[in-house]
Amino acid sequence: METFLIRALQLIMSLSLLVIIHEGGHFLFSRLFKVRVEKFYIFFDPWFSLFKFKPKNSDTEYGIGWVPLGGYVKISGMIDESMDTEQMKQPAQPWEFRSKPAWQRLLIMVGGVLMNFLLAIFIYSMILFHWGDSFVSLQDMTYGMKFNERAQEIGFRDGDILLRADEKPLERFGMDMLRDITEARVVTVLRDGKETDVYMPEISLLDIAKDDPMFVTALTPNVVDSVIPGGGLDKAGIQKGDSLIAVNGEMLNSWNALVEKLDKMQAAAEVAGDKSAVMQMVYSRGGLRDTATVRTDSLFRVGAIFSSLADYKETIREYGFFESFPAGVRLGVNTLKGYVNDMKYVFTKEGAKSVGGFGTIGSIFPKVWDWHRFWEMTAFLSIILAFMNILPIPALDGGHVLFLLYEIIARRKPSDKFMEYAQMVGMFLLFALLIWANFNDIMRFLF
């Protein structure tokens, strides 16, 4: 319950900030061009609102709605989420959106997207300035990587050190690395001290993202880093520094292999109704091999901690205040490129199933409060919000931009009736997508 509340609070804080900035972009350009803004709301307020306030001598009412699905600004003389068609039947007034030149209306509509992207760049810049950029280079992972069965069939081998995807250097572990690998024709690895080329078949990022175990993970050596007192290895006499060689006659080349073996034992034990498992383990100490009987606990753990990424050399890049901004721009642009590139998978059968709602978004936040991670996720969501809003779908900013571009090119406005119908169709599509995304979340939670 505590984890849920922490994630929920982070999600609400992040989305609230993004909505304020997005709608603030529309508000800013509206006021710049002397267009009246009647409402500025966080969340939607059908029938009633949780809070509202209208400053003296102001045309704008500020408030908080009760439906947590974003927010809006109600701009005079515009067909928007409020569907205020009565206002549109009245003669146009000079302070209304519809009375302004097309280029001003265009800037008002892109204002939200622009502010979201600028916010993401600013957050990324401040993250780099405050925390810097620390990571373990793939080339410094001297034990190499662990590959699943699919990757091994392609030609990768456990212990390979990833070097390049085509001619692009692979620098760090993460989604960008996986994306580069799936899009490459040749991946170059360092194997037994020699560069070796692995020729990639046509494979999608969505395909390998579903793999369990993962397509590639860091290979953890099979050397015991520490033994938990009272655990299976401790009772069997296995000590820190020992190397685990084999389990039940099957060779182990890494800690990852032992984890896979324990997972299989757990699955078999659950079928048989057993609450633990016993194994014969061969280990090496000081060059001498011995065999011990090891019993797992009820969670099928052997009571040991193995080496992790912390044992590798860490690359740390620090940025001064002014240096952080161009670096933040590069990070923001690369994040946007990656997200746009991955959007093609949404239009596949598997991609449609992977679409998630508020539950999925909330799950990307950490289980414990971490300001570094919170701001990283907020910047990422700001990029997503900017891109999704600029899509040419009626009811989104991109739909209004599309019709404005048509007006500028054709030198004629779409009729108000057409805009009303387009807005209704767009809102129907958006609500359908929202329902589908959250339905996927519910199904994933249940099954």
Side-chain angles (χ1 to χ4, degrees):
M1 185 62 178
E2 182 181 357
T3 297
F4 171 80
L5 292 176
I6 290 173
R7 281 178 162 168
L9 180 59
Q10 291 180 90
L11 176 63
I12 292 171
M13 286 181 58
S14 180
L15 291 184
S16 297
L17 172 63
L18 298 183
V19 168
I20 290 172
I21 294 298
H22 181 88
E23 301 304 332
H26 296 310
F27 180 86
L28 177 65
F29 280 97
S30 296
R31 302 308 298 138
L32 180 65
F33 299 128
K34 295 180 171 55
V35 175
R36 183 175 294 175
V37 179
E38 299 174 17
K39 284 186 173 185
F40 190 137
Y41 265 68
I42 301 175
F43 306 149
F44 292 101
D45 62 326
W47 304 296
F48 69 94
S49 60
L50 299 178
F51 167 81
K52 60 182 178 181
F53 170 69
K54 189 173 184 179
K56 188 177 180 180
N57 300 323
S58 173
D59 298 318
T60 306
E61 176 183 292
Y62 302 89
I64 301 175
W66 61 275
V67 182
L69 300 179
Y72 72 100
V73 288
K74 186 179 185 306
I75 300 174
S76 293
M78 175 183 171
I79 298 174
D80 56 13
E81 298 91 339
S82 66
M83 295 303 294
D84 186 0
T85 57
E86 291 302 315
Q87 184 185 69
M88 302 301 293
K89 295 177 181 178
Q90 306 301 319
Q93 301 298 322
W95 63 78
E96 289 186 332
F97 177 83
R98 55 182 166 166
S99 300
K100 301 300 178 180
W103 69 270
Q104 292 185 4
R105 285 179 279 137
L106 184 63
L107 286 176
I108 291 172
M109 294 317 305
V110 300
V113 168
L114 177 63
M115 290 300 287
N116 274 131
F117 188 65
L118 291 177
L119 174 66
I121 289 175
F122 178 75
I123 293 175
Y124 280 135
S125 299
M126 292 301 96
I127 287 173
L128 294 173
F129 171 63
H130 187 271
W131 285 287
D133 184 17
S134 58
F135 61 96
V136 176
S137 169
L138 288 170
Q139 283 72 55
D140 289 330
M141 293 184 180
T142 52
Y143 291 107
M145 310 303 288
K146 171 72 176 176
F147 296 91
N148 69 5
E149 185 177 349
R150 182 205 295 262
Q152 301 239 11
E153 289 174 353
I154 291 173
F156 293 100
R157 296 293 178 265
D158 288 347
D160 285 351
I161 298 175
L162 295 168
L163 298 179
R164 296 183 299 277
D166 288 334
E167 293 305 313
K168 182 178 180 180
L170 295 171
E171 184 178 51
R172 68 181 78 191
F173 186 88
M175 192 57 70
D176 287 341
M177 176 202 74
L178 289 176
R179 187 181 295 112
D180 290 338
I181 288 175
T182 57
E183 294 178 354
R185 299 182 65 184
V186 179
V187 176
T188 304
V189 301
L190 188 65
R191 181 181 300 166
D192 299 327
K194 298 179 181 179
E195 289 194 6
T196 302
D197 290 337
V198 178
Y199 295 90
M200 296 294 298
E202 286 197 12
I203 187 172
S204 75
L205 179 64
L206 189 63
D207 283 337
I208 68 172
K210 298 180 300 179
D211 283 355
D212 186 18
M214 291 177 61
F215 184 85
V216 55
T217 56
L219 190 148
T220 304
N222 52 348
V223 178
V224 179
D225 190 61
S226 61
V227 174
I228 298 173
L233 295 188
D234 182 42
K235 292 178 179 179
I238 296 176
Q239 303 172 5
K240 175 180 178 178
D242 291 349
S243 299
L244 306 185
I245 306 299
V247 169
N248 295 339
E250 294 184 16
M251 298 300 293
L252 299 175
N253 63 353
S254 65
W255 165 241
N256 313 67
L258 177 59
V259 171
E260 292 176 9
K261 182 68 176 175
L262 291 172
D263 287 343
K264 292 177 181 178
M265 287 183 177
Q266 183 175 10
E270 288 175 350
V271 173
D274 297 330
K275 296 183 178 179
S276 64
V278 177
M279 66 191 85
Q280 296 300 310
M281 185 172 288
V282 178
Y283 65 96
S284 173
R285 179 184 303 163
L288 300 176
R289 294 190 177 189
D290 201 352
T291 302
T293 301
V294 178
R295 178 179 289 275
T296 71
D297 62 14
S298 60
L299 297 178
F300 290 81
R301 299 173 301 194
V302 294
I305 297 174
F306 284 74
S307 300
S308 65
L309 291 180
D311 297 313
Y312 293 118
K313 183 185 78 173
E314 186 177 40
T315 298
I316 300 176
R317 294 175 182 167
E318 295 182 348
Y319 295 86
F321 182 75
F322 294 105
E323 291 176 311
S324 67
F325 287 99
V329 170
R330 289 193 296 271
L331 183 53
V333 170
N334 287 339
T335 302
L336 177 61
K337 284 181 179 178
Y339 185 75
V340 172
N341 181 75
D342 295 343
M343 276 296 293
K344 61 177 177 283
Y345 300 122
V346 173
F347 303 101
T348 66
K349 181 179 178 180
E350 291 299 323
K353 291 180 181 178
S354 69
V355 173
F358 293 111
T360 297
I361 298 173
S363 68
I364 70 176
F365 287 95
K367 297 178 180 179
V368 296
W369 198 276
D370 182 342
W371 281 110
H372 187 186
R373 185 66 174 165
F374 170 81
W375 287 116
E376 282 183 335
M377 292 301 97
T378 298
F380 179 59
L381 290 177
S382 196
I383 293 282
I384 293 176
L385 184 60
F387 176 73
M388 295 301 292
N389 263 284
I390 205 61
L391 292 175
I393 299 174
L396 291 178
D397 297 342
H400 291 284
V401 169
L402 178 66
F403 297 135
L404 281 167
L405 291 175
Y406 166 80
E407 178 184 339
I408 292 172
I409 296 171
R411 299 184 181 279
R412 54 176 296 195
K413 289 184 179 182
S415 69
D416 288 345
K417 186 60 66 176
F418 172 82
M419 294 297 291
E420 289 176 23
Y421 286 140
Q423 185 75 14
M424 286 188 289
V425 169
M427 291 180 69
F428 173 80
L429 291 175
L430 292 179
F431 277 114
L433 178 61
L434 186 66
I435 291 169
W436 172 253
N438 286 283
F439 172 76
N440 282 345
D441 280 351
I442 293 171
M443 297 302 289
R444 279 190 285 266
F445 176 76
L446 294 176
F447 301 104

